[in-house]
Each structure stands twice: as C-alpha cells, then as structure tokens.
Amino acid sequence: IPMAAKARTPRGRAPLGAPSKPAPRAERYELFAICAPGLEGVLEAEMRALGLTVGKRDVGGVAFSGGSSALFRANLWLRTATRIIARVGDFHARLFDELERHARRLEWSRFLTGGQPVRLRVSTSKSRLYHTGAVAQRVAEAMELATGIAPSVASGADDDEEAGDAPLVIVRLFRDQCTVSIDSSGTLLHRRGYRLATAKAPLRETLAAALLLASGWDRRTPLLDPLCGAGTIPIEGALLARRMPPG
C-alpha cells in the first residue's frame, strides 16, 4: 500500500496546470502536508502549483486529498513540507471506552499489513484524556486486534530521530477531538536531500526553499547570498531554477 511502500516517483519535470484525473473513490485519501508554523501560505501556493486538490489551511500545514499519485507527487516535489500524512480517522473521545470503541472501528487494514512493525506517537492538549501513555495503550490494543502486532510507542517529539522503516502512526487529542494519522514520508523530508553531514545550527533545506519562494525570486534573476555559509539557500535556488525535485 502507498503508506508502507514509500515508492519513489521517477524524477522529471514538475507537473503544471490542471490537476490530474481524480483517483477512484476507493483509492482516495484525506491527506495533510505538515510544515513549520508560519509557512502555511507558502506551502499552499506550492501545492496549488503542483495541481494538488488543496483543502483547509491549518496551523502547521495544509489539508489536501487525492490518490496514490497525489501522495507520491507531494512527497517528491514539495520543498517546504516536513511530512505528508494520511488521515486514518477523526472522532470525539472524552472517556477511554469511547477512545477504545472508535479506535477499533478504524480501517487499519487499509494502511497497514498484518505483522508489520509500527511506531505510535501520541500528543494531547486541552482534553480530558491527558495521559499520553494510557491513550497510547488503548490505541495500541486496537491496532493489535486489526494488524496482529502491538506497536512500539515512540516519543511525543517530532525530532530528527527515526526508527528504521516502521510506519509512524500519529494520534493527536485536542479539545477531546482525536485525530489518527499515518505518516507516508518516513524520514523527515528535509533529510531526503544532498547533505549527509551538517555543521552546528544548520539551516534546514525546507526553510531555505521557503525563504526563496516567499521572496518572489523569479528563478531567472541572478541570486546573491552575501552571508553564504553551507550554501543551502543557493543550492535550493539552483534546484528551483532547474525545476529539479528537492534532493
């Protein structure tokens, strides 16, 4: 399945113009592109230029929908997103029995295969169910019933630490509304690039690309970086000008 396969689209020119033909209903996913807070407008403009079916803009990202083609295109071409996640379900839960009941009803088999190692990350805010460990336990039990394996619980922080190729399931409780998503990107997208080693306080490639896109640079005018350190901004500029996928 797309979320587990992490397939790569062949490199080539970015798709332009109208969106591609809509995917069959059975293959369509509700997706969300995560970005650094404050970059939502830049990310949305980038998504529209790729022909993605853009939905609501939220703090820290932009919703969109589509099939596996849109999912792969977003992972390959978006320069300012850090993750692309697919929504597994969304429901209200103020009590643990509500959480357990709804979690068991989610279509886990649509995104995960039985026996596949899974990581689970939970965060809660302004909700009656505030204990992340207890929430993780209930969701893990529901996933085990559906997939045949109990997931390992990951840290709540979205940092650079990755745990192999195991899919990441993200559970977020905010004001008693539980949103369950699965990551499709694997390693954070700014790490898919050319830089294997960094110095202290490196500028992320996603942020460098966002600075260029927000500046209005036309990709033809000579680009000058008078404070060039590791060259992240000029390199992202070269990739933009040559219409090459990031990394």
Side-chain angles (χ1 to χ4, degrees):
I1 59 166
M3 263 51 70
K6 299 185 179 68
R8 283 287 182 182
T9 305
R11 293 183 181 274
R13 288 187 174 274
L16 299 174
S20 56
K21 185 168 61 175
R25 184 176 179 183
E27 193 198 27
R28 289 186 68 81
Y29 305 100
E30 295 303 318
L31 305 165
F32 191 81
I34 300 175
C35 67
L39 300 184
E40 298 87 356
V42 178
L43 174 59
E44 181 178 349
E46 191 183 8
M47 294 168 70
R48 292 189 184 280
L50 283 176
L52 297 173
T53 305
V54 177
K56 180 182 176 182
R57 186 198 302 183
D58 204 346
V59 177
V62 182
F64 67 111
S65 61
S68 57
S69 174
L71 179 71
F72 296 147
R73 197 185 328 160
N75 272 296
L76 178 65
W77 282 101
L78 287 180
R79 302 174 189 276
T80 57
T82 57
R83 284 191 190 278
I84 309 299
I85 59 177
R87 299 300 194 197
V88 180
D90 187 80
F91 53 85
H92 189 81
R94 300 183 68 205
L95 302 172
F96 281 118
D97 61 345
E98 288 181 291
L99 177 68
E100 293 170 2
R101 183 172 68 254
H102 288 296
R104 286 195 297 267
R105 293 175 179 173
L106 295 178
E107 294 182 278
W108 297 109
S109 59
R110 189 181 181 208
F111 301 93
L112 302 169
T113 58
Q116 180 182 24
V118 178
R119 291 178 295 144
L120 183 63
R121 178 175 292 156
V122 177
S123 65
T124 65
S125 177
K126 301 179 181 179
S127 299
R128 290 192 64 182
L129 301 179
Y130 61 88
H131 194 292
T132 56
V135 171
Q137 179 184 352
R138 267 62 171 197
V139 175
E141 290 172 355
M143 292 179 63
E144 185 175 8
L145 289 173
T147 65
I149 188 169
S152 60
V153 178
S155 138
D158 191 11
D159 53 24
D160 287 351
E161 295 182 4
E162 306 293 339
D165 293 327
L168 174 65
V169 174
I170 304 168
V171 180
R172 180 174 182 262
L173 267 163
F174 180 69
R175 298 189 187 277
D176 299 324
Q177 192 68 21
C178 183
T179 305
V180 182
S181 309
I182 186 165
D183 170 53
S184 73
S185 302
T187 302
L188 294 173
L189 290 180
H190 80 275
R191 300 188 66 191
R192 67 189 154 184
Y194 48 85
R195 182 174 295 132
L196 302 180
T198 60
K200 292 182 179 179
L203 177 66
R204 287 190 174 188
E205 292 86 340
T206 47
L207 182 56
L211 289 170
L212 289 168
L213 292 171
S215 73
W217 179 55
D218 62 8
R219 312 185 192 190
R220 295 184 300 275
T221 304
L223 177 66
L224 174 65
D225 182 5
L227 301 177
C228 180
T232 308
I233 292 175
I235 291 172
E236 291 300 316
L239 294 173
L240 274 166
R242 298 196 64 184
R243 298 175 66 185
M244 295 174 63

